[in-house]
Amino acid sequence: MTRHDAIPNEQREIQREFFRIDAETAERIRHLKPRLMTYAREALETVFDHLMGNPEVAHYYEIAENITYLRAGMLAHCDRLFAARYDHAYYAATDEMGERHSRLEYHSHVYTAAYTNMFARIVELAMSDRHRFTVDDITALTRVTMYDMELTVGAFYRHRMEKRDALAQDTEKVRELLAAS
């Protein structure tokens, strides 16, 4: 059983309801997906420019293989997100993404800022397109994006807490061993 399986489907439905993601919202995003993916591809360039210009993380993004890997991963995640299918694969992907980010040991703001900048750029592109998004389109996009970010940031911190707890348990075992000797 993976971590995301620990949350029952009923709880996931309550979460989506809380974010006001209903069948109409999901269908709207699925309908917009081809345009959203076009915008996402273009938006990625500004996200990487921003990350490479940040001294806190620039060294990681100077490696071409890292950019190639991250670009493919981010586009795959956008493809899954804009499919608006809240299934096992989607929840597994959000968990895995949050955990991968946590393992890199950067502060969470690096990810939320990148996510926010990409979202803002997608909205900017959608609004400057000759077939502008409607208010309902932007609302639907905001809802599913914020839900997605909540899931990935939640996984980020869950991984951090699990690492902390494992370290505390290991420390306790060492203390017991030292006390016994």
Side-chain angles (χ1 to χ4, degrees), residues 24 28 32 133-141:
E24 182 181 327
R28 181 178 295 274
L32 294 170
F133 275 19
T134 67
V135 170
D136 289 342
D137 296 339
I138 297 295
T139 299
L141 178 60

mmCIF file of all heavy atoms in Angstrom, residues 24 28 32 133-141:
data_model
loop_
_atom_site.group_PDB
_atom_site.id
_atom_site.type_symbol
_atom_site.label_atom_id
_atom_site.label_comp_id
_atom_site.label_asym_id
_atom_site.label_seq_id
_atom_site.Cartn_x
_atom_site.Cartn_y
_atom_site.Cartn_z
ATOM 1 N N GLU A 24 -18.241 19.266 -13.526
ATOM 2 C CA GLU A 24 -18.214 20.345 -14.525
ATOM 3 C C GLU A 24 -16.827 20.991 -14.593
ATOM 4 O O GLU A 24 -16.307 21.279 -15.680
ATOM 5 C CB GLU A 24 -19.266 21.402 -14.194
ATOM 6 C CG GLU A 24 -19.328 22.522 -15.202
ATOM 7 C CD GLU A 24 -20.361 23.591 -14.837
ATOM 8 O OE1 GLU A 24 -21.403 23.236 -14.252
ATOM 9 O OE2 GLU A 24 -20.099 24.765 -15.141
ATOM 10 N N ARG A 28 -14.373 20.883 -17.814
ATOM 11 C CA ARG A 28 -13.877 22.137 -18.398
ATOM 12 C C ARG A 28 -12.362 22.052 -18.594
ATOM 13 O O ARG A 28 -11.835 22.439 -19.646
ATOM 14 C CB ARG A 28 -14.245 23.319 -17.507
ATOM 15 C CG ARG A 28 -13.786 24.675 -18.054
ATOM 16 C CD ARG A 28 -14.217 25.813 -17.152
ATOM 17 N NE ARG A 28 -15.661 25.947 -17.104
ATOM 18 C CZ ARG A 28 -16.383 26.650 -17.983
ATOM 19 N NH1 ARG A 28 -15.788 27.290 -18.970
ATOM 20 N NH2 ARG A 28 -17.691 26.720 -17.861
ATOM 21 N N LEU A 32 -10.096 22.091 -22.043
ATOM 22 C CA LEU A 32 -9.037 23.099 -22.256
ATOM 23 C C LEU A 32 -7.643 22.487 -22.357
ATOM 24 O O LEU A 32 -6.677 23.189 -22.685
ATOM 25 C CB LEU A 32 -9.054 24.110 -21.099
ATOM 26 C CG LEU A 32 -10.276 25.000 -20.978
ATOM 27 C CD1 LEU A 32 -10.245 25.768 -19.659
ATOM 28 C CD2 LEU A 32 -10.367 25.947 -22.169
ATOM 29 N N PHE A 133 -9.346 32.952 -22.302
ATOM 30 C CA PHE A 133 -10.081 32.141 -21.347
ATOM 31 C C PHE A 133 -11.181 32.989 -20.723
ATOM 32 O O PHE A 133 -11.010 34.197 -20.533
ATOM 33 C CB PHE A 133 -9.153 31.658 -20.237
ATOM 34 C CG PHE A 133 -8.395 30.399 -20.565
ATOM 35 C CD1 PHE A 133 -8.219 29.955 -21.858
ATOM 36 C CD2 PHE A 133 -7.862 29.654 -19.541
ATOM 37 C CE1 PHE A 133 -7.518 28.793 -22.128
ATOM 38 C CE2 PHE A 133 -7.161 28.486 -19.795
ATOM 39 C CZ PHE A 133 -6.986 28.053 -21.094
ATOM 40 N N THR A 134 -12.248 32.346 -20.371
ATOM 41 C CA THR A 134 -13.323 33.025 -19.660
ATOM 42 C C THR A 134 -13.021 33.020 -18.168
ATOM 43 O O THR A 134 -12.110 32.322 -17.706
ATOM 44 C CB THR A 134 -14.675 32.313 -19.889
ATOM 45 O OG1 THR A 134 -14.612 31.024 -19.266
ATOM 46 C CG2 THR A 134 -14.992 32.184 -21.369
ATOM 47 N N VAL A 135 -13.805 33.759 -17.421
ATOM 48 C CA VAL A 135 -13.661 33.754 -15.958
ATOM 49 C C VAL A 135 -13.856 32.332 -15.429
ATOM 50 O O VAL A 135 -13.112 31.883 -14.552
ATOM 51 C CB VAL A 135 -14.661 34.737 -15.312
ATOM 52 C CG1 VAL A 135 -14.702 34.562 -13.803
ATOM 53 C CG2 VAL A 135 -14.311 36.164 -15.684
ATOM 54 N N ASP A 136 -14.829 31.609 -15.965
ATOM 55 C CA ASP A 136 -15.066 30.229 -15.533
ATOM 56 C C ASP A 136 -13.877 29.323 -15.849
ATOM 57 O O ASP A 136 -13.554 28.419 -15.074
ATOM 58 C CB ASP A 136 -16.340 29.672 -16.169
ATOM 59 C CG ASP A 136 -17.606 30.304 -15.604
ATOM 60 O OD1 ASP A 136 -17.552 30.906 -14.505
ATOM 61 O OD2 ASP A 136 -18.648 30.208 -16.279
ATOM 62 N N ASP A 137 -13.214 29.558 -16.968
ATOM 63 C CA ASP A 137 -12.021 28.781 -17.320
ATOM 64 C C ASP A 137 -10.901 29.034 -16.307
ATOM 65 O O ASP A 137 -10.263 28.096 -15.827
ATOM 66 C CB ASP A 137 -11.515 29.153 -18.718
ATOM 67 C CG ASP A 137 -12.480 28.811 -19.833
ATOM 68 O OD1 ASP A 137 -13.363 27.943 -19.643
ATOM 69 O OD2 ASP A 137 -12.351 29.431 -20.916
ATOM 70 N N ILE A 138 -10.668 30.300 -16.005
ATOM 71 C CA ILE A 138 -9.609 30.659 -15.046
ATOM 72 C C ILE A 138 -9.949 30.120 -13.657
ATOM 73 O O ILE A 138 -9.069 29.619 -12.950
ATOM 74 C CB ILE A 138 -9.394 32.194 -15.001
ATOM 75 C CG1 ILE A 138 -8.925 32.710 -16.363
ATOM 76 C CG2 ILE A 138 -8.432 32.586 -13.886
ATOM 77 C CD1 ILE A 138 -7.556 32.211 -16.790
ATOM 78 N N THR A 139 -11.201 30.203 -13.282
ATOM 79 C CA THR A 139 -11.626 29.682 -11.978
ATOM 80 C C THR A 139 -11.376 28.181 -11.902
ATOM 81 O O THR A 139 -10.822 27.688 -10.910
ATOM 82 C CB THR A 139 -13.114 30.004 -11.735
ATOM 83 O OG1 THR A 139 -13.280 31.420 -11.749
ATOM 84 C CG2 THR A 139 -13.596 29.449 -10.405
ATOM 85 N N ALA A 140 -11.754 27.454 -12.925
ATOM 86 C CA ALA A 140 -11.540 26.004 -12.941
ATOM 87 C C ALA A 140 -10.053 25.683 -12.886
ATOM 88 O O ALA A 140 -9.619 24.808 -12.120
ATOM 89 C CB ALA A 140 -12.176 25.389 -14.189
ATOM 90 N N LEU A 141 -9.263 26.400 -13.674
ATOM 91 C CA LEU A 141 -7.814 26.180 -13.684
ATOM 92 C C LEU A 141 -7.219 26.466 -12.309
ATOM 93 O O LEU A 141 -6.371 25.713 -11.817
ATOM 94 C CB LEU A 141 -7.159 27.060 -14.752
ATOM 95 C CG LEU A 141 -5.640 26.972 -14.846
ATOM 96 C CD1 LEU A 141 -5.188 25.556 -15.170
ATOM 97 C CD2 LEU A 141 -5.135 27.965 -15.893
#
